[in-house]
Amino acid sequence: LPRVMYPGGAIRDYDVEAAKIAKCLRLATFPAGTSTKDQHFIQQIRGDVHEQLLISQIGVPPETQRTVMVLTGSKLCLLEIEVKGGRITVSLKWGLKIIEVKQVSATGEGVTIQGEVVEQELRGVGASRSVAASGLAGRIASLAPRRGTVVRRIVKVEYKIPCSEAARIQEIFRILRPLQSLGCIVHLPK
């Protein structure tokens, strides 16, 4: 079998399934209603896939719906890739930056990913129209934008990779094991 060089210089045997998934990711469009944030996330991972694993597949080619776990150099996500009528669409079920992943554990229904996401909100920005301001100078001063305050908060999140096959759960853990070196707690299945 041919061998392929992956990002970071890793050399592995050619994987036909991985090649199909990578091709689908490159050619896919977004279904109607996909948020700009999700589109941006998927655009960022398209050229940086380090590992991918088919979690489930419904249907047979040429019409399939696949759930795929993808690991890049900086992100982990679960995607749904649908091929129907010659059209390929990709949607984000969930996604995290690798630095946000805090714990990975096996459950009876698959694998649970727990993380902490930093959300930012800009408060107090915009023009303020003061009724009390009088004269031209007062109106100009009251229309000047005010500096806002960035409020950050940590939100705990939990995502699932649904899977009941022991071999598939072991493969998920093989892929996620390197996250341990980043401080993530990976509870390996027994």
Side-chain angles (χ1 to χ4, degrees):
L1 282 176
R3 294 165 59 86
V4 180
M5 184 175 284
Y6 287 84
I11 298 176
R12 294 186 221 133
D13 290 335
Y14 185 75
D15 181 346
V16 175
E17 263 318 297
K20 286 179 187 176
I21 293 168
K23 181 180 177 185
C24 283
L25 268 176
R26 282 192 312 277
L27 299 175
T29 59
F30 304 110
T34 303
S35 72
T36 305
K37 184 179 176 183
D38 286 359
Q39 289 180 25
H40 184 68
F41 190 98
I42 293 168
Q43 293 287 8
Q44 288 180 324
I45 67 168
R46 278 190 167 150
D48 188 31
V49 176
H50 290 221
E51 295 276 357
Q52 54 210 351
L53 181 64
L54 179 64
I55 302 299
S56 67
Q57 179 172 313
I58 299 171
V60 292
E63 296 197 357
T64 60
Q65 182 177 342
R66 295 176 170 155
T67 301
V68 180
M69 182 187 81
V70 174
L71 180 68
T72 72
S74 62
K75 294 180 175 34
L76 172 65
C77 63
L78 196 64
L79 301 174
E80 192 165 283
I81 301 172
E82 186 173 3
V83 181
K84 191 172 188 177
R87 184 170 181 241
I88 304 169
T89 58
V90 62
S91 56
L92 181 67
K93 291 185 122 189
W94 57 260
L96 285 171
K97 295 177 186 172
I98 288 177
I99 60 171
E100 296 171 336
V101 177
K102 299 303 175 197
Q103 185 167 325
V104 180
S105 55
T107 67
E109 296 86 38
V111 177
T112 300
I113 311 288
Q114 294 175 336
E116 293 179 351
V117 179
V118 176
E119 289 186 350
Q120 296 185 57
E121 182 182 342
L122 196 54
R123 292 188 184 163
V125 174
S128 170
R129 298 184 193 273
S130 172
V131 180
S134 60
L136 182 60
R139 274 186 250 129
I140 292 172
S142 68
L143 291 174
R146 295 185 179 169
R147 275 190 81 92
T149 303
V150 176
V151 177
R152 291 183 180 95
R153 62 188 176 115
I154 297 175
V155 178
K156 293 188 183 294
V157 294
E158 183 175 283
Y159 297 112
K160 306 260 186 225
I161 301 175
C163 179
S164 58
E165 302 169 29
R168 184 80 31 116
I169 291 172
Q170 289 289 337
E171 185 66 12
I172 292 168
F173 274 92
R174 181 197 65 75
I175 292 170
L176 298 180
R177 187 172 284 129
L179 298 182
Q180 284 179 312
S181 65
L182 301 172
C184 174
I185 299 169
V186 179
H187 294 289
L188 300 173
K190 296 173 176 130

